[in-house]
Amino acid sequence: MSRSERLLDLIQCLRRHRRPVSGQALADELGISIRTLYRDIATLQGQGAPIEGEAGLGYVLKPGFMLPPLMFSDEEIEAIVLGSRWVAKQPDQRLSAAATNALAKIAAVLPDDLREDLDASTLLVGPPAKAVEGIDLGLVRQAIRNERKLGFLYRDAGGAASERVVWPFALGFFDKVRVVVAWCEMRQDFRHFRADRIAQLEATDMRYPRRRQALLKEWRATLDKPRGS
């Protein structure tokens, strides 16, 4: 492994830790000596990387640091291209356009050899399954980002309709359907709502009383329990 690759791996390793991590733990994770780790930390700090801490106390990379486009591995490029191409073929038009634009921006800042690898990727995405939902998934995503309530008319598998007010905190993408994961005020519980059964979607300015991440964490803890809609 070249030194530039090792420094890049160190940055990525620090990104995975939100709290200070000891130099020895970092050295063990990277498979290098503690002395080499200290030298690499000093090198990155000298190049402007906002790494805080010192030997014996641990190190943390301040959020917001942007890496220059040094390199991507072959598999990283394949993952970027494949993921972007899949999203670009989804029925959510705004998300689809965003994926195409993001891939173009990444290509624009890559070195020439890596840009050629990106353009020449042979991992292809097949035609998407036809989606029949008639709602704007962009409104759902915006409500999730802003932690706002949504109102809509929902029809269950038997066709029975009910009006719902929910606190959306996740959106699942499957081949043939999109699923809104939310806390339902009517059921006073977590529920999964198929987007193709939602009608009369109404975005509100009402902030729901809990944080999105807290709801997501609590919902994940319930996944082993059977739930209906």
Side-chain angles (χ1 to χ4, degrees):
M1 178 187 295
S2 68
R3 188 161 186 264
S4 62
E5 289 177 310
R6 194 176 72 241
L7 293 176
L8 182 60
D9 284 348
L10 175 54
I11 287 289
Q12 295 300 94
C13 184
L14 285 166
R15 283 187 184 279
R16 292 194 292 270
H17 295 277
R18 297 184 179 182
R19 296 183 178 181
V21 57
S22 70
Q24 188 60 60
L26 289 170
D28 292 343
E29 189 169 343
L30 295 168
I32 59 178
S33 69
I34 189 67
R35 180 175 297 181
T36 298
L37 185 278
Y38 290 150
R39 285 202 304 266
D40 288 350
I41 290 281
T43 297
L44 289 171
Q45 289 173 327
Q47 293 177 352
I51 300 173
E52 296 183 344
E54 58 185 79
L57 296 178
Y59 298 92
V60 64
L61 180 67
K62 293 177 64 177
F65 175 62
M66 299 298 291
L67 280 173
L70 297 177
M71 65 168 48
F72 288 105
S73 69
D74 290 341
E75 289 183 342
E76 287 170 341
I77 288 178
E78 289 177 343
I80 290 170
V81 173
L82 186 61
S84 298
R85 286 176 176 173
W86 186 86
V87 174
K89 289 194 175 185
Q90 297 308 300
D92 186 331
Q93 294 183 356
R94 280 186 280 183
L95 201 61
S96 172
T100 302
N101 292 338
L103 192 58
K105 288 179 180 178
I106 292 172
V109 299
L110 284 176
D112 291 341
D113 56 336
L114 294 182
R115 188 182 305 115
E116 291 176 2
D117 290 343
L118 186 147
D119 291 337
S121 175
T122 55
L123 298 184
L124 307 177
V125 177
K130 291 183 178 180
V132 296
E133 62 255 23
I135 63 171
D136 183 354
L137 292 178
L139 293 179
V140 178
R141 290 187 286 103
Q142 185 176 15
I144 292 172
R145 286 194 301 268
N146 297 334
E147 299 179 338
R148 295 297 190 268
K149 296 182 181 183
L150 286 174
F152 52 76
L153 182 71
Y154 190 70
R155 295 187 181 277
D156 64 19
S162 58
E163 294 184 356
R164 306 290 184 107
V165 175
V166 304
W167 311 348
F169 57 86
L171 184 60
F173 287 78
F174 300 87
D175 285 341
K176 296 182 179 180
V177 69
R178 263 48 65 187
V179 176
V180 180
V181 186
W183 175 267
C184 177
E185 291 189 351
M186 185 177 80
R187 300 299 189 193
Q188 285 296 292
D189 204 350
F190 294 111
R191 287 292 185 266
H192 305 150
F193 299 97
R194 289 178 49 145
D196 58 343
R197 296 177 183 170
I198 294 176
Q200 301 177 25
L201 180 67
E202 180 182 356
T204 78
D205 292 327
M206 294 182 289
R207 191 181 191 95
Y208 48 74
R210 299 182 61 192
R211 299 312 305 269
R212 178 181 68 244
Q213 289 301 322
L215 290 169
L216 183 62
K217 182 178 180 180
E218 185 177 338
W219 167 74
R220 283 173 171 164
T222 70
L223 290 180
D224 57 339
K225 300 177 182 179
R227 295 184 178 273
S229 289

